[in-house]
Amino acid sequence: MTPSATTATTGATAAAPRNPGEPAPAATAPDPAPDPRRSRTVPAWVWAMPPVAVLALAFLYPLALVLQQSVTPDDGSGVSLDPYADVFASEVFRDALTTTVWLAVGSTVGCLVLGFVLALVIAFVPFPGGKAVARFVDVFLSFPSFLITLALLFIYGSVGMANGLWTDVTGAADGPFHFLTTPWGVLLAEITYFTPFVMRPLLAAFSQLDTGQLEVASSLGAGPVRIIRQVILPEALPALAAGGSLVLVMCLNEFGIVLFTGAKDVTTLPMLVYSKAILESDYPAACVVAVVNIAISVGLYGLYRVVSRRAGA
């Protein structure tokens, strides 16, 4: 039989009608598409375990130890709120809390005013090197706080350049600049260090400002002060709020500036924690102060996040 005949016979057999009593052949169903949810062999919660474990070991566990120690007196009497009562009744704690708050608020106000003025000059007053100054603001954010304090000590310290120049000119035995060891010196150092944290969001906001609005306001006869008040300031308010909230949180927890200025009469909450834990070995009292500082910081950080979200930062 030839191949063509064989093919014809096969085709005829395949096309032949089946008998009435013969069952129909079962149809072959296509393979179902794989379910992507079933194809994942590892549940999502497994992937979340490593970062949660790292967070728990690095942050939650030490925080839990601080909370436990704050309610555990040294006399071994068990869990008690006596350390909180003793600390809250202490005049040293109240003074430290007051000093911390007014330094943080004063530094924040100073940073807002100075940062707004400097950002206005950099953004809207053309001068040689303006772009380099704007880039330096970004670099300044990476500087440690004690570096700025050391620079101020070299200039205004007891044996700094300013006092040395004064004694050379007048022949006096001592110079007049001794404010760095006072709260005003701490305030100056914090304003100097934290002002760029306000300038950075302001410069970003000013870069998005439509200069056509300024030209229209100027053509209508508005002066610089009125343009700043009615055109620039409303656009800058979200950035000012975000930068000010961040500076307030950071000032509340600042330790290095107060320590490096040598202001012995200036006691803030972080300095009080250091004094109670390291110098007095009163760990329950130190933990109580730390818990209060954490509570204030977390509350202000929540406020900062809300303000930043509304500002689009």
Side-chain angles (χ1 to χ4, degrees):
M1 183 180 296
T2 63
S4 59
T6 305
T7 304
T9 305
T10 305
T13 304
R18 67 175 184 274
N19 298 327
E22 184 180 354
T28 303
D31 296 335
D35 189 353
R37 293 174 297 180
R38 294 182 180 178
S39 63
R40 291 187 305 181
T41 58
V42 181
W45 62 269
V46 175
W47 296 104
M49 289 302 295
V52 170
V54 172
L55 179 64
L57 291 176
F59 177 74
L60 297 180
Y61 179 67
L63 181 60
L65 290 180
V66 171
L67 290 173
Q68 180 184 4
Q69 187 66 44
S70 67
V71 294
T72 306
D74 288 333
D75 57 8
S77 58
V79 178
S80 174
L81 295 179
D82 291 341
Y84 283 87
D86 295 339
V87 169
F88 290 165
S90 172
E91 185 178 356
V92 175
F93 170 76
R94 295 195 297 268
D95 292 342
L97 180 60
T98 303
T99 302
T100 303
V101 172
W102 89 257
L103 278 177
V105 174
S107 300
T108 302
V109 174
C111 290
L112 289 175
V113 175
L114 183 60
F116 183 72
V117 173
L118 293 178
L120 277 177
V121 173
I122 295 174
F124 300 109
V125 179
F127 62 93
K131 293 183 178 180
V133 174
R135 294 192 186 98
F136 178 75
V137 172
D138 296 334
V139 178
F140 191 91
L141 298 179
S142 64
F143 288 175
S145 60
F146 69 86
L147 183 62
I148 307 302
T149 309
L150 285 178
L152 291 176
L153 286 174
F154 289 149
I155 299 175
Y156 300 109
S158 299
V159 293
M161 296 171 55
N163 284 324
L165 182 61
W166 178 273
T167 55
D168 292 341
V169 172
T170 63
D174 195 8
F177 302 103
H178 301 285
F179 63 90
L180 280 183
T181 58
T182 67
W184 299 108
V186 177
L187 188 67
L188 173 64
E190 291 188 349
I191 292 176
T192 303
Y193 177 68
F194 289 113
T195 294
F197 289 86
V198 175
M199 295 175 60
R200 182 63 268 173
L202 279 175
L203 291 175
F206 290 160
S207 65
Q208 300 177 358
L209 183 63
D210 185 9
T211 57
Q213 301 180 19
L214 306 180
E215 296 174 357
V216 170
S218 179
S219 64
L220 293 177
V225 176
R226 187 175 180 182
I227 292 176
I228 293 174
R229 186 179 68 252
Q230 296 185 354
V231 180
I232 298 178
L233 185 58
E235 298 292 334
L237 284 178
L240 281 172
S245 300
L246 178 61
V247 170
L248 183 61
V249 173
M250 298 176 69
C251 288
L252 283 172
N253 298 283
E254 182 55 42
F255 175 77
I257 289 179
V258 183
L259 182 65
F260 274 84
T261 53
K264 298 180 180 179
D265 296 333
V266 179
T267 303
T268 59
L269 290 180
M271 288 294 297
L272 186 59
V273 173
Y274 173 81
S275 176
K276 291 291 184 182
I278 305 302
L279 302 180
E280 302 178 16
S281 297
D282 189 356
Y283 295 107
C287 291
V288 170
V289 179
V291 169
V292 173
N293 201 1
I294 291 172
I296 297 175
S297 301
V298 170
L300 289 176
Y301 178 74
L303 176 63
Y304 161 70
R305 292 301 302 170
V306 172
V307 173
S308 298
R309 192 179 300 113
R310 293 183 178 180

